[in-house]
Every structure is written in structure tokens, then in C-alpha cells.
Amino acid sequence: MSKNRVSRRQFLNYTLTGVGGFMAAGMLMPMVRFAVDPVLQAAGESDFIPTKQKVAEITETPTRVDYTFEQQDAWYTSEVTGTAWVYKDEKGEIVALSPVCKHLGCVVDWNTDKSNPDHFYCPCHGGLYTKDGTNVPGTPPVAALDVFPYSEKDGFLYLGKAEPRKEA
């Protein structure tokens, strides 16, 4: 037997302290993980999203290009579908426009208004945009369509996040 005896009171004190410590750690660990986990996640390779559109097949007529990407919200991952209107301008440069109307966020379509051919038309409130995405004065939109930065990789079009058009 040892010379130092543990009293009943000391034994209960040690036991309750140990159990309380385990319970506190069990409550704090999820909070610490929640705070630290985003920092430890690997960053994406690029902000550009691949599309199935071949750059060589882009013409001077705006074409609807759909693309999909995975979006992660906390621990939930979902597949999101996006759209862009893509064409080549007179200089042969690619132009990628957002289909979201700057009036109320409806989706514009190319060349669907018979009274205004070769325009982007918003069916919600009759908004009109020219081919380059500039809003037509006297119609509801207050700004030009947003533009997508783009890049080409292996002959395919990659789109970035849509940005407001820079005023010239």
C-alpha cells in the first residue's frame, strides 16, 4: 500500500474534473473544426469554368453556351448550371455576355423579338440590348449586360465570373 491515501473527496473531485474535461472537449471540438476547416481546404486550381464550346466553332452570331460546375456551401455540394451568350466581334475577338437582365434579373434571349431583330430581348418588361450587350435607351434596363472573362485551353472555352462592364 502507498503512504499517500486518496480520500473519498479527492477521488470524486479527480473523477468529476476528468469527466467534465472530456465533456468540454466534446463540445469545443466541432466549433474549432468549423473555424479551422475552411483554412485547411485546398484552393481551387482556377476561377475559370470549362465549357463544352470549342473556340473554333464560335461564329459572329451569339450562341447560348451552357456549363456546369460544382458549388460547395459548407458541407453541401451541388451541381449548378450557368449560361452565357458567346460570339466573335468584328475584330475576331470572343465576347461572352451574361444572360441576366440588369433591370430585374430575368433571362435575356437573342433575336426573339420580331419587332427588334438582332437584339437581346428580355421578355419580362421588354428590355432590349444591342449585340454587344449595351442597353438600348428608352427600355427598362439601366446598364449593359455583364461580361465574362474568358480563356482558351485545349481548344475549349473557359469562362470566369461575370463582371460589370467597364465604362469607356
Side-chain angles (χ1 to χ4, degrees):
M1 285 224 180
S2 86
K3 296 178 185 176
N4 298 337
R5 301 197 85 186
V6 177
S7 70
R8 218 182 263 166
R9 178 170 284 172
Q10 288 176 324
F11 174 76
L12 286 175
N13 195 13
Y14 295 152
T15 304
L16 290 176
T17 302
V19 169
F22 279 117
M23 289 176 65
M27 289 173 42
L28 289 176
M29 283 306 294
M31 289 186 259
V32 170
R33 170 99 194 251
F34 178 76
V36 174
D37 193 42
V39 175
L40 300 177
Q41 294 291 326
E45 292 179 15
S46 172
D47 290 335
F48 286 88
I49 299 166
T51 67
K52 295 179 181 176
Q53 179 66 47
K54 292 184 178 179
V55 172
E57 295 174 355
I58 298 174
T59 64
E60 291 184 0
T61 303
T63 305
R64 181 181 168 149
V65 175
D66 294 322
Y67 56 92
T68 58
F69 60 96
E70 282 190 356
Q71 176 176 301
Q72 185 161 353
D73 297 322
W75 290 274
Y76 177 72
T77 303
S78 60
E79 191 170 284
V80 178
T81 301
T83 301
W85 286 99
V86 179
Y87 70 95
K88 286 188 179 176
D89 63 9
E90 302 83 33
K91 300 173 192 170
E93 295 179 18
I94 296 173
V95 177
L97 299 172
S98 169
V100 180
C101 180
K102 298 301 274 186
H103 177 225
L104 291 176
C106 297
V107 177
V108 300
D109 207 359
W110 172 251
N111 206 16
T112 55
D113 183 24
K114 299 201 186 305
S115 59
N116 295 294
D118 297 331
H119 280 76
F120 287 103
Y121 176 68
C122 178
C124 294
H125 295 102
L128 286 174
Y129 296 90
T130 59
K131 182 179 177 181
D132 68 351
T134 307
N135 54 312
V136 174
T139 63
V142 294
L145 292 173
D146 292 345
V147 293
F148 287 100
Y150 68 90
S151 67
E152 178 184 351
K153 185 176 178 185
D154 299 327
F156 287 92
L157 181 68
Y158 282 65
L159 297 175
K161 184 178 180 183
E163 302 168 346
R165 185 175 303 227
K166 295 177 180 83
E167 297 297 325

